[in-house]
Amino acid sequence: MPYPPKSLPGGANFDRQPFEHRFTMAFQPIYDLRTGRIFAHEALARGGMNGTAAGVIKSVTARTRYSFDRKCRIKAIAMASALGLQTKLSVNCMPNAVLDPDSCISATLMAAEHYGFDAANLIFEFTEMEYLRDPQHMRAIIASYRKRGLMTAIDNFGTCFAGLGALCDMKTDLIKIDKRIVRGIESDQRRQRMIGSIVRMCSELGTGIIAEGIETQAEFDVLRDAGITQFQGFYLGQPMLEGLRTAPRVPLPIAA
């Protein structure tokens, strides 16, 4: 059943207002060791040519959230198409800006068709924290996307207590291991054991894993040895403003 218009999950009143601050997109590659190539680019909002993501997010209010979320998706798709993106495109989603999952995704698919971008290459990222705020709403959104054969991912996996519950309820194609687990993992056996358990669990569930926030070779080596094959982070390539990176900063070992 669609969510009622002019209401947010939780029943808050909602009057849409246009998001009028200027922003652009940067694209950060996600590399796959199984192929030695880029698996996807994540689209990241930036506040103009010299602005930061924090500056953009700070300007979003409850009343402009719907407009901002919609503009982010359309701008990411339009720019990716103009740049000739041939990989998958990962976009961050704001579930608390989605009133009706079906109409929201329909608008995104219309934008993909308009700009000539293959919707099968879209990945939609949701955070664990959003799941904690309203699990029922998140399940409805994920179900709507998966019904159309679209890929979804849990971003920042492991940052809160939602992990296992979110993984079971949301049934996403991918999880992205948060950088707070990654940081310093080469000298932390507890983190290494946790990663080993996550890898085994996701293997049994058929869920892919991306390690994000990789900044050092030591972090990369430990996670690769644990069986992870997809990586994102400054160690391999920083986001490029209005452009696409191709080769990683360091030689990329191909997984056996």
Side-chain angles (χ1 to χ4, degrees), residues 112-249:
E113 182 178 4
H114 175 76
Y115 290 105
F117 188 84
D118 187 355
N121 284 330
L122 290 171
I123 303 173
F124 299 90
E125 295 188 19
F126 304 91
T127 67
E128 281 186 316
M129 186 59 68
E130 296 290 353
Y131 169 81
L132 282 176
R133 288 172 180 163
D134 196 329
Q136 181 181 359
H137 186 55
M138 280 298 306
R139 287 194 294 269
I141 296 173
I142 296 294
S144 177
Y145 287 25
R146 290 178 64 85
K147 181 174 64 177
R148 291 167 169 79
L150 301 171
M151 295 184 68
T152 58
I154 301 176
D155 193 16
N156 306 131
F157 186 85
T159 58
C160 57
F161 295 109
L164 294 179
L167 189 58
C168 291
D169 280 358
M170 292 168 65
K171 299 177 182 177
T172 59
D173 302 282
L174 300 160
I175 64 169
K176 299 183 74 174
I177 303 294
D178 187 73
K179 62 184 179 182
R180 279 171 279 190
I181 296 178
V182 168
R183 198 67 65 244
I185 193 171
E186 71 277 6
S187 58
D188 191 327
Q189 292 189 355
R190 292 175 67 87
R191 279 183 166 82
Q192 292 173 25
R193 293 192 182 101
M194 182 187 301
I195 288 295
S197 297
I198 292 173
V199 170
R200 289 190 294 272
M201 177 178 61
C202 286
S203 177
E204 294 178 358
L205 294 174
T207 303
I209 301 176
I210 298 170
E212 62 179 344
I214 308 299
E215 294 187 355
T216 68
Q217 181 176 342
E219 293 169 351
F220 177 83
D221 289 342
V222 169
L223 293 164
R224 179 195 59 190
D225 292 344
I228 296 177
T229 59
Q230 294 181 328
F231 293 86
Q232 179 182 18
F234 282 21
Y235 174 67
L236 296 173
Q238 296 184 14
M240 178 176 283
L241 194 69
E242 299 184 355
L244 303 175
R245 296 194 183 279
T246 53
R249 291 181 59 250

Side-chain angles (χ1 to χ4, degrees), residues 11-30:
N13 292 330
F14 181 74
D15 294 318
R16 300 179 190 177
Q17 290 183 354
F19 182 78
E20 297 178 343
H21 294 264
R22 297 185 63 182
F23 69 97
T24 186
M25 306 301 292
F27 297 87
Q28 186 174 27
I30 300 171

